[in-house]
Amino acid sequence: MSPLLEITQLTVGYGGGERPPVLAVQDLDLTVRPGEVVGIAGESGCGKSTLALAASGLLDPPGRVLGGSVRFDGQDLLGLSPPAWRRLRLRQIAMVFQASMNVLNPVLRIRDQFLDAMQAHGVNSRRDAHERTQAVFELVKIPARFLDAYPHQLSGGMRQRAVIALCLVLEPRLIFMDEPTTALDVVVQRAILQSVNDLRVQRDFAVVFITHDLSLLIEIADRIAIMYAGYLVEEASGPELYQDPLHPYTQALMQAFPPLGEVRSRLQGIPGQPPDLRRLPPGCPFAARCGKVQRGRCDAVQPAMTVVTPGHRVACHLYPLAAEGGKRA
């Protein structure tokens, strides 16, 4: 199956001019297949949101794409003009942000905001627009009476559901979700994620789900990509990443949340702080915090991405390529 979204050697930076840009994403490769949920996890500041903004054409100055390519269904996205992007958004690619109140217009009723979005994409029949709006409200389990409410009259969970409904009303093929449930309690979070998964099965759209909660991704994602200091350091299926995390950073993240089984263990934090992106050290960016660091190698040479087993790749000097078979050394 050919990928729906294909990101190749993407590099994104902020600033520039007299000073070199601060690189928030570096040489990143990632693919998303139709109907797939791909999770992106990592600490704050690792480049997750920058990656999503760059891939969805929402990156504003001083952010800019410095290299690489982003292709959606074979179409080059980085070369699109603003009018072409406006035609593509919501209809083919949508974005759910963390702060739903910042997305919804506070002085317009929810129904009017849906109608405006559909009218901008050629849905000129108000009857058709109303029917579509009511249908997606029913899908995300919001009572129809809230269509005439203002955003402030909805709870945080309902506002987030309304934003998800807005992203679904034109049936896009790819949805970016940037920590859409972080500010919500666990009960509401569970209900929203279950709704999103049910909708994905019904409508067969792909999801790129961004969060710092690795335990959440293991439950919902088909594949998980781990980012650190702008680099992709590991990628695998959800079950394989849970059973056999390879990168020391991924292992440290796994030890930072309670186990899913009955065995109790002491939670371990990750010592130190992420590196300053303005002054990245040579070698592996995680070397200063890594308990398995090889002095003279990890702190001097940037590790290359290695396919350890089919579908599982990692950028770490602990796993050199043993042979063409891609087995672990």
Side-chain angles (χ1 to χ4, degrees), residues 14 26 52 58 62 96 135 141 172 196 223 233 249 256 265 271 305-306:
Y14 289 92
Q26 297 199 50
L58 295 171
V96 178
K141 299 179 174 60
V196 170
R223 285 188 296 123
V233 297
Y249 178 59
S265 61
M305 185 64 76
T306 300

Side-chain angles (χ1 to χ4, degrees), residues 90-314:
L90 280 186
R91 186 168 288 281
Q92 295 290 336
I93 300 175
M95 182 92 166
V96 178
F97 294 93
Q98 178 179 349
S100 57
M101 197 63 187
N102 296 337
V103 175
L104 298 171
N105 190 324
V107 299
L108 289 180
R109 298 182 188 274
I110 299 295
R111 184 193 303 272
D112 294 332
Q113 299 187 49
F114 276 70
L115 297 182
D116 285 348
M118 283 184 278
Q119 188 175 25
H121 287 276
V123 182
N124 296 317
S125 168
R126 290 186 65 86
R127 180 177 179 179
D128 184 17
H130 282 301
E131 290 176 352
R132 291 193 188 199
T133 302
Q134 290 176 341
V136 292
F137 256 52
E138 183 177 346
L139 286 174
V140 298
K141 299 179 174 60
I142 299 180
R145 68 178 184 275
F146 288 103
L147 279 170
D148 292 316
Y150 290 96
H152 73 272
Q153 295 175 305
L154 275 63
S155 67
M158 291 178 69
R159 282 198 301 268
Q160 201 65 46
R161 289 173 183 267
V163 171
I164 293 172
L166 181 59
C167 290
L168 291 172
V169 73
L170 291 171
E171 301 187 6
R173 300 170 62 194
L174 174 65
I175 298 180
F176 288 91
M177 294 191 166
D178 189 0
E179 303 195 33
T181 60
T182 299
L184 307 175
D185 65 72
V186 293
V187 176
V188 176
Q189 181 186 83
R190 165 71 63 174
I192 289 178
L193 292 178
Q194 186 61 54
S195 296
V196 170
N197 189 60
D198 292 343
L199 292 169
R200 181 182 65 87
V201 173
Q202 294 175 28
R203 299 199 171 189
D204 195 32
F205 57 82
V207 177
V208 177
F209 197 100
I210 297 169
T211 182
H212 59 269
D213 188 348
L214 183 54
S215 61
L216 175 64
L217 287 185
I218 288 172
E219 185 176 353
I220 67 171
D222 298 309
R223 285 188 296 123
I224 300 175
I226 306 296
M227 290 187 66
Y228 186 80
Y231 289 96
L232 182 66
V233 297
E234 186 168 1
E235 181 189 2
S237 67
E240 186 166 359
L241 197 78
Y242 175 69
Q243 295 291 338
D244 190 22
L246 300 181
H247 198 283
Y249 178 59
T250 309
Q251 295 169 358
L253 289 177
M254 295 288 293
Q255 294 169 0
F257 66 87
L260 301 180
E262 297 180 358
V263 178
R264 294 185 179 183
S265 61
R266 182 178 294 275
L267 301 183
Q268 302 291 332
I270 304 175
Q273 296 292 329
D276 187 343
L277 295 181
R278 297 170 297 177
R279 305 177 187 86
L280 275 179
C284 176
F286 189 62
R289 307 173 70 189
C290 182
K292 301 178 180 180
V293 63
Q294 303 171 18
R295 298 298 176 189
R297 188 182 188 194
C298 295
D299 53 5
V301 180
Q302 172 71 34
M305 185 64 76
T306 300
V307 177
V308 180
T309 57
H312 197 159
R313 57 191 185 125
V314 62

Side-chain angles (χ1 to χ4, degrees), residues 56-76:
S56 58
L58 295 171
L59 186 67
D60 292 327
R64 53 198 176 101
V65 176
L66 302 173
S69 66
V70 179
R71 304 188 73 83
F72 175 77
D73 199 19
Q75 180 182 17
D76 178 21

